[in-house]
Amino acid sequence: MSVVFDAFHPAHRSNPYPRYAALREHTALFPLKPRVHIATRYAEVSAVLSDPEWGHGYDDGINPLRPGVAPDDVPGGIVRMDPPQHTRVRGLVNRPFTPRHTTGLRPRVERLVTELLDKAIAAGEVDLMESFARPMPFTIIAELLGIPREDYRQVMDWSMALVHGTDPDILQTPEQLARRDVAKAEFEAYFGAQIDHRRRYPRQDMFSDMAAALEAGTASDIELRGLSVGLLIGGYETATDLIGKGTVALLRNPDQIELWRSQPELASSGADELLRYEPPIQFTHRVALADKELDGRTLPRGEGVVVVMAAANRDPEAYEDPDRLDIARFAGQAPPPRPLSFGGGVHYCLGSHLGKLEVQLAIDALLRRAPDLALAGEPVWRDTVAIHGLDTLPVRLRK
């Protein structure tokens, strides 16, 4: 049986899951190119994500997906690092994302959700992405970092250029790659200036923590600038896309909206299920830092694997009826294995607790306060495949 991997084709942008399923049913490891495979089953994806000997390989120059690319040329800082460098740099900014600190942010998130929904409901019909799904999580991470409010628009424009830049280079035009490189340089220069300013005028924000690390010699300037970029994009894009895609998924499954409204205690399980069902980060990649066994075969050091979390999250070996949205799936005493949307192991998403809190509060408030919520047009999907989300989401919030 011949299988062609075409999930990234524009025709499948709004629903790549049947194409993932075809590959998952065909083989555990699909050869994508020399020295690179695709993994789509839960067992293999989980094994790779949880094992520290599967890393990024940039520092060793063994990454087969981007051969010859220097570590500092990869946007996002911490996302390209392997231990012990990764452990050191992650430890500099871990505190604001701990469960305890995230719980302390709940009142601020609730106030912001209320403010934005007040305006959206008053307008009646809005683009939910522009009026709610983007500004809420963006504002929270911008406040944590210490970005001045007057810079929000410019910073968001840079971040969107880099979101497009996360796709495999082969899927991008020369013009898109050039825009990514320009945005990366401008973005990192801006964050470098903010960190330098905090060396002289410290505040209670992450830029000040980074400035202190620079003064203490525990991180370099280039590490901190890259880290800032990764924190900003990772700190809002996942929640933004999950709010948008999750709203669409719920509107297409109205029975689940009624269940959520009748049993609001399912909000946490519902957020987990949306994360499984419509993960914003569809895939990532890892490189074997040593010879590794996977699917009964030996993959030598330097071999790459594209791990498709979005496919693993719908593996019938891990989840019963995986293509059905079920907000009660993760409730109860014996829930199924956790979705792999936040990754795993040492690279498990730093902002997972905050992201889930934002999604849970945002969608719960939206369903509760907009009983007449409905689509007001067709959603427009962003032309990206790695970070999967919507450009626009027209909705009607009241009759």
Side-chain angles (χ1 to χ4, degrees), residues 68-146:
V69 175
D72 292 332
D73 290 337
V74 182
I78 196 171
V79 300
R80 61 158 172 80
M81 297 177 182
D82 295 320
Q85 182 189 24
H86 174 272
T87 307
R88 171 178 54 81
V89 175
R90 180 176 171 127
L92 300 174
V93 291
N94 184 61
R95 183 185 57 81
F97 300 105
T98 60
R100 180 177 179 180
H101 195 273
T102 296
T103 299
L105 290 172
R106 185 182 184 110
R108 174 57 181 141
V109 175
E110 290 176 330
R111 287 196 305 272
L112 191 53
V113 165
T114 298
E115 291 168 12
L116 292 170
L117 274 182
D118 284 348
K119 294 176 183 177
I121 291 171
E125 191 170 305
V126 298
D127 171 10
L128 197 71
M129 302 305 295
E130 184 67 25
S131 64
F132 185 57
R134 284 196 194 98
M136 187 275 286
F138 180 89
T139 299
I140 296 298
I141 189 61
E143 289 176 350
L144 285 173
L145 282 164

Side-chain angles (χ1 to χ4, degrees), residues 183-217:
K184 175 180 179 294
E186 292 177 342
F187 216 174
E188 290 187 354
Y190 171 83
F191 282 131
Q194 292 294 322
I195 294 168
D196 185 63
H197 183 72
R198 293 303 194 281
R199 294 173 73 178
R200 291 167 287 158
Y201 306 102
R203 302 176 189 170
Q204 295 297 314
D205 57 33
M206 282 196 285
F207 283 149
S208 298
D209 294 340
M210 293 182 200
L214 193 61
E215 285 287 312

Side-chain angles (χ1 to χ4, degrees), residues 18 55 63 74 92 200 213 221 240 276 291 321:
N63 189 307
V74 182
L92 300 174
R200 291 167 287 158
D221 177 64
T240 287
R276 181 197 70 84
D291 292 353
D321 198 3

